[in-house]
């Protein structure tokens, strides 16, 4: 090989030909040589040309192993050391070019082999990329879209995380080699342009790329890459707002349905009216402004009347007797066609009058007149129809494609006429005529107008869409510029459309938020948006300005002590491509009203001792509003509570289903459901697509939004409380039996397409925490756009959500328009009652492009660490120290931030119930907990604890999920996330003294568990027993409580309403409980507002604010406060946890100084 150049060229040509034959790709003239200066490359290419016509299907096909062996022979060290450098580069460039041809193969295994081989060659010779892309345009095009291809494959294999296929690994290795070559040889980028990330709707775009563009403005190096990319949740990650957008009804007359849609579904729709087609005047011809006869219709009528007169004259002449020789025995002309019909010229004359659009003057023709048409002696030419020829497709009032430029044949005039413009006006119709232009052979129906198409998908009708807004927090700007407007970005999720929109937000000082929609991050941007924009594609630029309402009508509470603020705003825009037909083409305006809920903001406006208390030195994240049920999507057999968090089965009319008010398309989400009353096998807990929504499966039918959804059956995929999963009528043994009082957690991983469940209940008197494992897989809203993907990883062999059963190989089912999955509850037995817990977590998740870029970043770090000391670039005159490249700047900055984070000793990473059983297979709901005293004090204040629990404190737990534990448990305080105090159980006082599976994961407490000694700190605690001020919602300032229910108020011994709660008496109707006797106000685990009161005839106990179930009549009415503001205690109102924590922190620092700590 070294000594003989000819032998080397023969081996090289054999390798190139074998790769081509194995790839089954024929030689094309597109692979033309651009540079003929390299004789070696020219010789090898000529060999390919000579052999290109040989039949590839010979008796001895090429052997892949031999081809790889010969490639290794040409690349071995012995050959490279003895050949000159220019020959080495030419040899390896030709080999790289030959193996790149195999990348175009239809065979995935062969593409994998070619990717690995090409990557190895490129690592040895980075200059080969320049030679290959400059010589072969197909290879240049392939590498320009390589990153998009690899990103789609990485996303397709997300279900198998943390492993990937060998094929995906080979593609990543090839892309890494290309990126490495571009860093070493920038000239290679001259012959191909690396496309920006362009993927299909089944592959989400990264938010991180947008952040990097504006990082200097929005995120000045203030967060970890794990937080920003979504791998780990943190207080500095996202703030969650939930709510809805009501799209108002459009003021227009809805157009009638088009019959063309039925024809198009059958494949018989009208053809496109394009250049050269024939047209006539249409139904809206006379409705034009200054309508006239430019089509020549008057000329046609005049000529037709003239010819009619001639024909009448001919009839008079025909009434005279004819010679015998000219008539047959039957009195009819003998000169006919052999078939008994009129001759062709006469038939044309008849057909002119047979046209439906033309009028025959005399309809009562005599037999003598009919015989006139059959005469061949007098032929009359047919009248030319007033036809026009389409010259071009034009726009009308700025809307393209709804008009045609027509030249009329009789007059020669030209004009532009509406063909669907002005709201569906048709000045012309599409016709097909005979060759003589005297007869209309076919009239095509008018196509469906844009207005009719939009109305078919629900445009113009009022509807309510649920939304979820994720705001990216910027702690440094929030602390430094708290007195100015803040700019941030976020994701506005529209689950009804199966999409997430990138938004730019401005947080104003008065609490208002300006939301500007920019682009689609995931979901379809080109279809499915008719109901909102009146056109299939997404329209960026909508601006919502939402402001806090003065008198909130909260969904979550029935009084002014709500922990959530309501923000209300609207947006209005003119539809670009639709017009109102009734007013002659007027513009249509769509108005939308947005209503969002968020936790109350901390604002210290009081003064103590003349010192202004400011909480801006510590920023905490707020909890998201709880998930509720959708009042518009529930079966008639199910009733909703006032706060929409509890559903009750009222009748046994089928298996009723109710949907949640928050849907998910992307990310990882976990929520819990509490079973208050449940018969065995009568409760269904799961997820489903919402019927009738633009992203739902029923939207494919015309006017599907008009039909009422069938909700008297269980929809989607779910778990039934008799140890089984259920979907589409198929059941499978799974999980555990669940009874009244138990809590079931649902883990929905939209990215990997898995549904799992978590059980928190009591079995034989013992508290059980158990991860039930994966129930379904392959249910990703995006689908999986590669054959065989959708399973693996943590799927544990669960049934596929696509076919409802086990299958060893799933088909490729990438979603053109991603759908959304909504929490659903199904009830069957009357009296069953289920409550949606306030405990839930959500994460935006990680996209495939981010995963790929991380892999490329690791490769870049390794290459820089090695200094790129390659044999071809290590020469004698280059110093080794100079050849070593420096580490990337971003790597140094991230490392420094991670060091500072570790040094601060503020963060503690922990898994949660939403993390799943396998740490590497699920990500997004692992949390970095904030262990700072201020954050922990704020979280403790949010649940009404009298003192602050700090990380490291041990706590005796006597309550869990609304249940009093028979055996106490010991928990370790970890830290806070989103204003909630997280803990981990470390022991259970049971016979075994150990935790069941799932008990060691972190979770958080709510206010129902922190009542009446439910949580008791062991020892003194690290908070130094400093008193924590109680929030105003736990101790409301009122003028008392008046019993307004006729049956009185039942007093119970416990906050919860269950069999173990003792009924200790009743307070009669009309009694007023003074403020001093109102001890506390709390929400129990089912969301019921309860008051702890002292009533002398009964004693101390809990009463409810409303009747549970039914119409939920008021039991007590809050009387207005009689205080005039002189009482100093009335001024010390703590509206938010931050307000209370600020006062505690001041006293805590003083206690530390007093103790000399």
């Amino acid at each position: 090989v070294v000594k003989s150049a000819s032998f080397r060229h023969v081996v090289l040509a054999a390798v190139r030909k074998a790769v081509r034959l194995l790839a089954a790709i024929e030689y094309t003239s597109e692979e033309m040589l651009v540079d003929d200066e390299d004789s070696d490359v020219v010789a090898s290419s000529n060999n390919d040309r000579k052999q290109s016509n040989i039949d590839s299907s010979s008796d001895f096909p090429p052997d892949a192993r031999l081809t790889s062996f010969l490639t290794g022979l040409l690349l071995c060290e012995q050959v490279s050391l003895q050949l000159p450098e220019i020959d080495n580069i030419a040899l390896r460039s030709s080999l790289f070019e030959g193996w790149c041809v195999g990348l175009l193969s239809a065979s995935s295994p062969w593409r994998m082999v070619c990717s690995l081989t090409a990557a190895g060659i490129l690592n040895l010779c980075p200059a080969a990329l320049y030679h290959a892309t400059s010589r072969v345009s197909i290879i240049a095009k392939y590498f320009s879209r390589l990153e998009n291809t690899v990103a789609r494959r990485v996303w397709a294999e997300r279900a198998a995380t943390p492993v990937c296929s060998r094929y995906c690994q080979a593609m990543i290795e090839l892309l890494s080699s290309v990126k490495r070559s571009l860093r070493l040889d920038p000239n290679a980028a001259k012959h191909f342009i690396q496309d920006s990330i362009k993927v299909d709707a089944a592959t989400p775009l990264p938010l991180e790329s947008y952040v990097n563009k504006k990082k200097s403005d929005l995120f000045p190096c203030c967060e970890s890459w794990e937080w920003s990319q979504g791998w780990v949740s943190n207080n500095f990650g996202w703030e969650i707002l939930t709510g809805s957008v009501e799209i108002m009804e459009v003021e227009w007359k809805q157009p009638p349905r088009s019959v063309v849609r039925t024809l198009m579904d059958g494949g018989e729709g009208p053809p496109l009216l394009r250049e050269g087609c024939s047209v006539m005047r249409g139904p809206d011809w006379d409705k034009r402004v200054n309508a006239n006869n430019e089509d020549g219709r008057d000329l046609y009528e005049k000529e037709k009347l003239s010819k009619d007169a001639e024909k009448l004259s001919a009839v008079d002449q025909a009434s005279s007797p004819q010679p015998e020789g000219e008539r047959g025995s039957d009195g009819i002309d003998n000169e006919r066609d052999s078939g008994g019909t009129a001759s062709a010229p006469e038939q044309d004359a008849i057909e002119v009058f047979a046209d439906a659009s033309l009028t025959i003057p005399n309809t009562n023709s005599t037999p003598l007149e009919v015989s006139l048409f059959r005469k061949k002696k007098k032929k009359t030419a047919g009248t030319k129809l007033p036809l026009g020829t389409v010259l071009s497709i034009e726009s009308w009032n700025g809307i393209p494609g709804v008009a045609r430029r027509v030249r009329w044949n009789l007059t020669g005039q030209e004009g532009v006429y509406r063909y669907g413009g002005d709201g569906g006006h048709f000045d012309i119709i599409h016709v097909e005529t005979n060759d003589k232009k005297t007869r209309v052979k076919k009239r095509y129906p008018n196509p469906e107008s844009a207005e009719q198409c939009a109305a078919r998908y629900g445009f113009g009708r009022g509807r309510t869409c649920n939304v979820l807004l994720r705001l990216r927090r910027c702690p440094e700007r929030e602390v430094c510029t708290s007195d100015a407007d803040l700019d941030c970005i976020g994701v506005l999720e529209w689950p009804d459309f199966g999409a997430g929109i990138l938004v730019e937000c401005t947080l104003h000082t008065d609490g208002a938020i300006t939301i500007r929609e920019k682009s689609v991050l995931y979901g379809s941007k080109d279809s499915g948006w008719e109901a909102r924009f009146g056109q299939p594609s997404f329209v960026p630029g909508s601006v919502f300005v939402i402001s806090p309402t003065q008198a909130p009508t909260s969904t979550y509470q029935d009084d002014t002590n709500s922990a959530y603020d309501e923000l209300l705003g609207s947006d209005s825009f003119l539809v670009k491509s639709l017009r109102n037909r009734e007013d002659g083409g007027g513009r249509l305006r769509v108005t939308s009203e947005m209503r969002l809920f968020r936790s109350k903001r901390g604002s210290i406006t009081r003064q103590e001792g003349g010192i202004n208390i400011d909480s801006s030195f510590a920023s905490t994240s707020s909890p998201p509003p709880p998930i509720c049920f959708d009042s518009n999507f529930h079966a008639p057999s199910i009733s909703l509570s006032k706060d929409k968090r509890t559903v009750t089965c009222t009748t046994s009319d089928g298996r009723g289903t109710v949907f949640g008010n928050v849907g998910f398309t992307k990310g990882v989400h976990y929520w819990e459901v509490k079973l208050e009353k449940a018969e065995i096998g009568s409760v269904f807990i799961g997820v489903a697509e919402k019927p009738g929504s633009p992203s739902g499966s029923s939207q494919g039918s015309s006017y599907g939004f008009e039909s009422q959804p069938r909700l008297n059956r269980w929809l989607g995929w779910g778990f039934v409380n008799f140890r089984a999963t259920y979907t589409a009528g198929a059941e499978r043994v799974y999980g555990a039996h669940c009874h009244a009082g138990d809590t079931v957690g649902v883990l929905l991983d939209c990215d990997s397409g898995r549904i799992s469940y978590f059980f928190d209940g009591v079995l034989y008197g013992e508290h059980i925490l158990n991860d039930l494992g994966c129930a379904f897989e392959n249910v990703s809203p995006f689908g999986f756009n590669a054959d065989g993907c959708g399973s693996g990883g943590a799927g544990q062999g669960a049934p596929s959500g696509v076919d409802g059963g086990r299958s060893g190989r799933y088909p490729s089912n990438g979603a053109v328009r991603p759908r959304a999955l909504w929490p659903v509850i199904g009830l069957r037995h009357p009296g069953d009652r289920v409550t949606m817990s306030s405990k839930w977590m959500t994460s935006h998740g990680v996209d495939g492009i981010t995963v790929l870029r991380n892999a490329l970043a690791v490769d870049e770090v390794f290459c820089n660490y090695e200094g790129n000391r390659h044999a071809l670039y290590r020469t004698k005159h280059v110093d080794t120290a100079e050849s070593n490249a420096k580490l990337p700047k971003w790597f140094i900055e991230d490392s420094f931030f991670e060091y500072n984070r570790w040094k601060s000793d503020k963060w503690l990473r922990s898994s949660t119930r939403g993390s799943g059983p396998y740490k590497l297979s699920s990500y997004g709901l692992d949390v970095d907990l904030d262990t700072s005293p201020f954050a922990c004090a704020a979280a403790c204040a949010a649940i009404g604890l009298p003192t602050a629990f700090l990380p490291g404190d041990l706590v005796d737990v006597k309550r869990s999920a609304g249940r009093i534990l028979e055996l106490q448990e010991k928990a370790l305080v970890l830290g806070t996330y989103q204003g909630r105090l997280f803990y981990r159980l470390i022991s259970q006082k049971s016979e075994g003294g150990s935790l069941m599976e799932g008990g060691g994961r972190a979770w958080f407490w709510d206010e129902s568990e922190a009542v009446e000694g439910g949580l008791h700190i062991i020892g003194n605690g690290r908070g130094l027993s400093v008193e924590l001020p109680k929030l105003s919602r736990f101790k409301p300032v009122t003028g008392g409580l008046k019993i307004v229910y006729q049956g009185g108020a039942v007093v119970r011994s416990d906050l919860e309403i269950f069999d173990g709660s003792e009924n200790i008496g009743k307070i009669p109707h009309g009694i007023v409980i003074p403020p001093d006797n109102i001890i506390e106000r709390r929400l129990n685990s089912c969301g019921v507002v309860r008051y702890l009161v002292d009533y002398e005839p009964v004693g101390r106990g809990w009463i409810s604010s409303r009747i549970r179930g039914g119409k939920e009549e008021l039991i007590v009415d809050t009387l207005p406060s009689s205080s005039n503001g002189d009482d100093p205690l009335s001024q010390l109102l703590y509206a938010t946890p931050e307000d209370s924590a600020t006062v505690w922190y001041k006293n805590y620092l003083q206690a530390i100084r007093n103790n000399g700590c």
Side-chain angles (χ1 to χ4, degrees):
V1 172
V2 175
K3 296 181 179 179
S4 175
S6 301
F7 180 76
R8 188 165 62 247
H9 295 160
V10 170
V11 175
L12 179 60
V15 171
R16 291 169 60 98
K17 182 175 184 297
V19 172
R20 186 186 303 276
L21 294 179
L22 289 170
I25 298 177
E26 297 182 356
Y27 176 82
T28 59
S29 59
E30 187 177 357
E31 299 184 25
M32 296 297 294
L33 292 178
V34 179
D35 187 7
D36 292 338
E37 296 179 358
D38 194 342
S39 59
D40 292 337
V41 177
V42 171
S44 62
S45 300
N46 289 335
N47 291 335
D48 286 349
R49 286 196 179 96
K50 293 178 182 179
Q51 301 295 330
S52 61
N53 295 325
I54 299 179
D55 186 10
S56 61
S57 59
S58 59
D59 296 335
F60 301 99
D63 186 271
R65 291 170 295 182
L66 178 60
T67 305
S68 300
F69 169 77
L70 294 178
T71 302
L73 178 64
L74 296 175
L75 296 175
C76 66
E77 185 177 1
Q78 291 84 348
V79 174
S80 61
L81 292 178
Q82 298 186 44
L83 286 178
E85 182 177 358
I86 187 173
D87 292 341
N88 261 324
I89 295 177
L91 175 63
R92 295 175 178 182
S93 298
S94 184
L95 273 176
F96 177 75
E97 177 185 324
W99 279 97
C100 284
V101 174
L103 299 175
L104 308 176
S105 173
S107 172
S108 297
W110 186 240
R111 289 202 305 269
M112 177 190 70
V113 174
C114 294
S115 298
L116 291 173
T117 307
I121 298 174
L122 202 56
N123 291 335
L124 294 176
C125 182
L129 181 64
Y130 171 80
H131 288 273
T133 54
S134 61
R135 292 160 55 87
V136 184
S137 59
I138 292 181
I139 297 178
K141 293 179 181 178
Y142 176 84
F143 284 117
S144 64
R145 62 176 185 269
L146 179 61
E147 187 170 359
N148 300 337
T149 303
V150 180
R152 293 181 68 250
R153 184 68 193 193
V154 170
W155 177 250
E157 296 188 8
R158 62 193 181 276
T161 303
V163 299
C164 67
S165 65
R166 182 62 171 159
Y167 173 78
C168 183
Q169 182 180 353
M171 296 297 291
I172 296 177
E173 180 65 27
L174 177 61
L175 181 60
S176 301
S177 301
V178 172
K179 295 288 186 180
R180 191 180 306 122
S181 299
L182 292 177
R183 291 194 299 267
L184 298 176
D185 187 10
N187 293 328
K190 295 181 180 180
H191 297 283
F192 73 95
I193 301 176
Q194 290 182 291
D195 295 338
S196 59
I197 297 297
K198 297 178 181 179
V199 291
D200 54 5
T203 306
L205 292 173
L207 179 67
E208 189 66 20
S209 60
Y210 184 83
V211 174
N212 291 337
K213 294 179 182 179
K214 307 187 70 175
K215 193 167 185 179
S216 58
D217 298 331
L218 300 179
F219 296 97
C221 193
C222 61
E223 59 183 352
S224 168
W225 65 274
E226 293 176 300
W227 303 345
S228 61
Q229 294 180 5
W231 297 97
V232 179
S233 298
N234 183 267
N235 281 343
F236 293 153
W238 301 89
E239 183 178 358
I240 308 299
L241 290 80
T242 62
S244 62
V245 174
E246 183 180 359
I247 303 176
M248 304 298 181
E249 186 173 355
V250 177
E251 296 181 358
W252 74 327
K253 183 178 180 181
Q254 186 175 350
R257 300 185 183 183
S258 175
V259 298
V260 175
R261 186 64 190 181
T262 305
L263 299 176
M264 294 181 65
D265 292 340
E268 300 178 357
L272 175 66
L273 183 59
R274 56 191 307 169
E275 294 85 347
C277 295
S278 298
V279 296
M280 296 180 64
R281 63 169 60 185
D284 299 319
W285 179 271
D286 296 329
K287 298 179 182 179
R288 300 175 300 141
V289 179
N290 300 327
N292 51 33
N293 292 321
E294 62 266 26
D295 62 338
R297 184 62 180 260
D298 54 345
L299 299 178
Y300 166 76
E301 295 287 349
K302 183 177 180 181
E303 183 179 357
K304 182 170 70 66
L305 292 175
S306 175
K307 290 190 177 183
D308 289 344
E310 293 180 3
K311 292 175 183 178
L312 292 176
S313 176
V315 170
D316 293 339
Q317 296 178 4
S319 61
S320 60
Q322 298 182 4
E324 293 293 334
E326 297 182 5
R327 297 179 61 87
S329 59
D330 56 357
I332 305 298
D333 186 10
N334 288 328
E335 297 187 24
R336 302 188 213 172
D337 294 340
S338 60
T341 60
S343 59
E346 297 166 354
Q347 182 67 24
D348 291 342
I350 297 174
E351 291 172 347
V352 171
F353 289 93
D355 192 295
S357 64
L358 305 179
T359 304
I360 299 177
N362 186 8
T363 58
N364 300 321
S365 301
T366 64
L368 185 60
E369 293 174 346
V370 174
S371 65
L372 176 64
F373 295 113
R374 297 177 180 175
K375 287 286 185 178
K376 192 175 180 181
K377 182 185 297 184
K378 183 70 174 179
K379 296 188 294 183
T380 303
T383 306
K384 295 285 187 179
L385 297 174
L387 300 174
T389 303
V390 177
L391 300 180
S392 61
I393 301 176
E394 302 286 341
S395 60
W396 187 273
N397 289 338
I399 304 177
V402 294
R404 301 293 187 271
R405 179 173 294 276
V406 179
R407 177 186 290 121
W408 299 103
N409 299 340
L410 297 183
T411 62
Q413 297 185 21
E414 291 185 13
V416 179
Y417 303 91
R418 297 173 298 184
Y419 193 68
D422 284 348
H425 285 84
F426 290 89
D427 300 334
I428 55 177
I429 58 173
H430 187 189
V431 297
E432 183 179 344
T433 64
N434 59 358
D435 295 338
K436 295 183 179 180
K437 307 296 182 182
T438 59
R439 179 174 59 91
V440 176
K441 296 171 60 177
K442 186 173 184 179
R443 294 173 180 268
Y444 293 106
N446 292 328
E448 185 180 37
S449 65
E451 290 74 16
Q452 289 175 322
C453 181
R456 178 162 52 86
Y457 287 100
F459 174 78
R461 293 176 173 265
R463 64 182 302 155
T464 300
C465 300
N466 300 107
V467 295
L468 187 148
L469 176 61
R470 302 177 186 270
L471 292 178
R472 285 287 294 271
R473 296 173 56 85
C474 182
E476 288 190 0
R477 289 180 60 88
E478 189 168 339
V479 171
C480 299
T481 60
S482 59
D483 57 343
D485 293 345
L486 303 177
D487 294 329
C488 64
I489 63 172
V491 179
L492 182 61
E493 299 183 5
W494 293 79
D496 288 276
F497 297 91
I501 309 301
L502 173 68
V503 294
E504 290 183 349
C505 302
T506 301
L507 308 181
H508 302 282
T509 55
D510 59 352
I513 303 177
T514 300
I515 304 171
R516 295 174 289 273
E517 293 185 329
K518 304 300 293 184
S519 61
V520 178
L521 282 179
Y522 58 86
S524 177
K525 65 178 182 299
D526 298 318
S527 64
W529 293 95
E530 291 90 349
R532 185 184 175 197
F533 297 110
Q535 63 182 43
S537 59
F538 172 78
V539 179
S542 298
V543 179
F544 293 92
V545 180
I546 55 177
S547 304
T549 57
Q550 297 298 328
T553 57
S554 177
T555 303
Y556 307 103
Q557 297 297 331
D558 54 0
D559 57 11
T560 58
N561 293 306
S562 171
Y564 305 96
D565 288 330
E566 182 184 33
L567 291 87
L568 185 64
S570 63
D571 172 61
S572 179
F573 71 96
L574 292 173
V575 181
K576 179 180 179 181
S577 58
L578 300 183
R579 297 293 185 268
N580 190 358
R581 179 183 173 89
E582 296 302 316
D583 60 2
R587 301 290 295 274
L588 298 175
R589 180 174 293 276
V590 177
T591 302
S592 302
E593 183 181 81
M594 176 178 288
R595 188 185 305 270
L596 295 180
F597 295 92
R598 71 177 179 189
S599 298
K600 284 186 177 294
R601 314 292 292 179
S603 58
I604 301 295
T605 58
R606 300 171 287 105
Q607 289 189 356
E608 289 187 358
I611 301 175
N612 186 28
I613 301 177
D614 186 7
S615 63
S616 63
F617 65 87
S619 176
T620 61
S621 179
S622 56
I627 299 177
C628 300
F629 292 105
D630 194 339
S631 58
N632 298 323
F633 279 87
H634 66 90
S637 61
I638 296 179
S639 64
L640 274 65
S641 61
K642 291 285 186 180
D643 60 0
K644 300 179 183 179
R645 286 181 52 192
T646 302
V647 291
T648 306
C649 183
T650 56
T651 63
S652 58
D653 184 15
R655 299 179 173 184
T657 302
V658 57
F659 281 76
N661 70 333
V662 178
F664 307 106
T665 300
K666 188 189 180 304
V668 186
H669 319 278
Y670 177 85
W671 64 93
E672 291 187 343
V673 177
K674 180 178 176 58
L675 280 62
E676 291 191 52
K677 297 180 181 179
E679 296 290 335
I680 294 296
S682 63
V683 177
F684 172 85
I685 304 172
V687 297
E689 298 179 51
K690 182 179 288 187
S693 65
S695 65
S697 57
S698 64
Q699 191 62 18
S701 59
S702 298
Y703 291 87
F705 58 89
E706 292 184 349
S707 60
Q708 292 295 328
R710 291 184 56 193
L711 300 178
N712 59 347
R713 55 193 177 94
W714 291 347
L715 304 175
W717 306 267
F719 165 70
V720 184
N721 66 328
F722 67 156
R723 200 185 174 197
T725 59
Y726 179 91
T727 176
E731 297 180 355
R732 170 179 173 264
V733 176
Y734 169 86
H737 292 285
C738 300
H739 307 276
D742 294 339
T743 299
V744 178
V746 184
L747 174 59
L748 173 63
D749 191 339
C750 294
D751 295 342
S752 62
R754 289 190 292 267
I755 304 174
S756 306
Y757 291 90
F758 190 92
F759 176 68
D760 182 354
V762 173
L763 182 62
Y764 303 115
E766 184 178 357
H767 188 202
I768 302 297
L769 300 172
N770 192 9
D771 192 315
L772 302 181
C774 182
F776 296 98
E777 63 178 355
N778 201 23
V779 293
S780 175
F782 292 95
F784 295 93
N785 51 9
D787 188 17
C789 295
S791 62
Q796 302 172 333
S800 170
V802 176
D803 54 16
R806 294 181 179 271
S807 177
R809 188 173 179 84
Y810 302 140
S812 174
N813 58 344
V816 176
R817 188 169 62 198
R819 60 185 188 271
L821 298 178
W822 304 73
V824 295
I825 298 296
L827 302 177
R828 183 174 61 178
H829 191 273
D832 290 339
R833 181 177 296 166
V834 171
T835 296
M836 191 72 72
S837 173
S838 61
K839 297 181 179 182
W840 73 292
M841 298 178 64
T842 177
S843 171
H844 181 65
V846 183
D847 56 271
I849 299 174
T850 299
V851 175
L852 175 60
R853 289 177 174 174
N854 287 346
L856 297 177
V858 172
D859 179 78
E860 180 184 0
V861 173
F862 285 163
C863 290
N864 284 304
Y865 182 76
E866 291 293 334
N868 300 316
R869 296 187 298 267
H870 192 272
L872 295 178
Y873 292 88
R874 190 193 306 135
T875 58
K876 296 181 180 180
H877 61 277
V878 177
D879 188 12
T880 304
E882 296 179 356
S883 64
N884 292 334
K886 297 181 179 179
L887 292 174
K889 181 179 179 181
W890 62 264
F891 178 75
I892 298 176
E893 292 178 350
D894 287 349
S895 301
F896 184 69
F897 177 84
E898 295 296 331
Y899 167 76
N900 287 333
R901 187 180 67 162
W902 167 81
K903 185 179 178 181
S904 66
D905 198 22
K906 182 181 178 181
W907 307 103
L908 174 65
R909 181 162 301 180
S910 175
S911 60
T912 64
R913 291 188 181 181
S915 301
Y918 307 105
K919 293 184 178 180
L920 296 179
S921 63
S922 181
Y923 40 80
L925 293 186
D926 289 345
V927 293
D928 275 346
L929 299 173
D930 188 351
T931 62
S932 63
F934 180 88
C936 293
C940 294
I943 60 177
L945 287 173
T947 59
F949 294 174
L950 300 186
D953 287 341
L954 296 178
V955 179
D956 271 336
V957 181
K958 301 178 182 179
R959 287 178 174 267
S960 176
R963 184 188 298 109
I964 299 177
L965 301 178
E966 297 183 7
L967 301 175
Q968 295 184 9
E969 301 171 344
K970 183 183 295 184
L972 175 67
V973 178
L974 301 178
T976 66
Y977 167 62
Q978 289 186 338
R980 298 176 291 197
L981 188 63
F982 276 73
Y983 67 94
R984 183 173 65 246
L985 293 178
I986 58 176
S987 69
Q988 287 177 313
K989 296 180 180 180
S990 59
E991 294 181 0
S994 61
L995 296 173
M996 296 296 291
E997 180 184 358
R1001 301 183 199 168
W1003 200 229
F1004 57 91
W1005 290 302
D1006 63 9
E1007 61 182 82
S1008 68
E1009 298 167 319
V1011 66
E1012 295 182 338
L1015 303 176
H1016 177 70
I1017 194 168
I1018 301 176
N1020 295 328
R1022 302 189 178 186
L1024 304 179
S1025 300
V1026 176
E1027 182 180 359
L1028 184 62
K1030 187 165 290 188
L1031 299 183
S1032 58
R1033 74 168 184 262
F1034 297 117
K1035 180 64 175 179
V1037 177
T1038 65
L1041 297 176
K1042 182 179 180 180
I1043 309 300
V1044 297
Y1045 186 64
Q1046 293 294 332
V1050 177
V1051 182
R1052 290 184 174 270
S1053 61
D1054 195 81
L1055 174 67
E1056 305 294 338
I1057 305 174
F1058 55 88
D1059 295 338
S1061 177
E1062 181 183 356
N1063 185 347
I1064 60 177
K1066 179 181 291 187
I1067 304 177
H1069 171 264
I1071 296 297
V1072 176
I1073 303 174
D1076 295 339
N1077 292 346
I1078 303 175
I1079 310 303
E1080 195 173 18
R1081 172 196 174 275
R1082 282 186 182 265
L1083 288 175
N1084 66 5
S1085 61
C1086 299
V1088 180
V1089 179
R1090 304 269 285 170
Y1091 291 93
L1092 180 62
V1093 298
D1094 276 335
Y1095 181 62
E1096 184 176 353
V1098 177
R1100 176 171 294 190
W1102 294 88
I1103 61 175
S1104 299
S1105 63
R1106 292 180 180 271
I1107 292 294
R1108 187 68 166 159
K1111 297 182 180 179
E1112 299 190 25
E1113 297 92 340
L1114 278 175
I1115 298 178
V1116 298
D1117 189 14
T1118 304
L1119 301 179
S1121 175
S1122 59
S1123 174
N1124 55 6
D1126 297 335
D1127 186 3
L1129 294 178
S1130 63
Q1131 300 179 7
L1132 300 178
L1133 300 180
Y1134 303 92
T1136 65
E1138 288 78 8
D1139 297 346
S1140 176
T1142 302
V1143 178
W1144 175 90
Y1145 191 72
K1146 176 183 177 182
N1147 297 332
Y1148 173 71
L1149 294 179
Q1150 183 64 36
I1152 292 178
R1153 289 192 290 267
N1154 294 339
N1155 294 338
C1157 298

